[in-house]
Amino acid sequence: MNLTGNTILITGGTSGLGFGFAERFLHLGNRVIVCGRRVDRLDKLRNKYPEINIIQCDMMDAAQRESLAKQVMRDFPETNILVNNAGIQLHTDLTKPVELESLRAEIETNLIAPIHLGSIFAEHLSSRNPSAIINITSGLAFAPSAFVPVYCATKAAMHSLTLSLRYQLRNTPTKVFEIAPPAVDTELGYQHRPDPSKSHGGIPISQFLDEAILALESDLFEAPIGMAKGLHEKREALFDFMNR
């Protein structure tokens, strides 16, 4: 896919992978629209990149997702790429009664929101050529970490949904990509680190982005990145190794 001259909406684009994609797409010559929940993060992004369009939106709220889509299609009708990136990762002990509010937040953000938003944009994107939906999943979709079981389950579900969406859009101009990151040096899951300010050992964001952009440009529709390739290829065989 040509990654120049597009108009791209990125969810969860004020930090981590979303922020990295926003920067990279901007530098490649695209118009970028970023939505995020936190006003301070949006203001920081606006100050650094005034040319990026920002919209406040809580992806856990269905009404806000619908409002976001209406605003984007009204103000930026040329939008032709949706990047479903927003996500949260929580530790969950399934041997004890789960905290339902946290459970719902993780499932709503990681699974329901991208399904809902993708379905709202599908018809609009199908009228644009070229166009794409890019779902950011995880290597943990293929071989889960038992410490974050709900996160892994939502990403596995998004892998499955992406296959189905790609099939349903097969007769349209819309390409459907799945980018599955490995552990990347972002703040995802920072709540559970002894020192949230320190790296957890993931690969640099720049390395991830180099491989992800190459996959998109090469029309590699299912693209595990870095160590996620091993999780994708060996799957269940790695579960015991990862969780011993």
Side-chain angles (χ1 to χ4, degrees), residues 171-240:
N171 295 323
T172 76
T174 305
K175 299 176 179 180
V176 180
F177 293 88
E178 177 185 2
I179 303 294
V184 183
D185 190 14
T186 70
E187 64 182 32
L188 182 69
Y190 73 93
Q191 309 96 315
H192 309 293
R193 301 181 202 169
D195 184 349
S197 66
K198 292 185 177 179
S199 169
H200 56 51
I203 67 171
I205 292 180
S206 59
Q207 181 182 338
F208 162 77
L209 289 170
D210 288 344
E211 292 192 47
I213 294 298
L214 179 60
L216 295 171
E217 290 177 332
S218 304
D219 281 348
L220 183 58
F221 296 118
E222 187 171 306
I225 305 297
M227 291 181 65
K229 294 175 185 175
L231 300 180
H232 179 265
E233 292 168 0
K234 298 180 181 179
R235 306 197 183 196
E236 288 82 359
L238 284 171
F239 179 80
D240 289 340

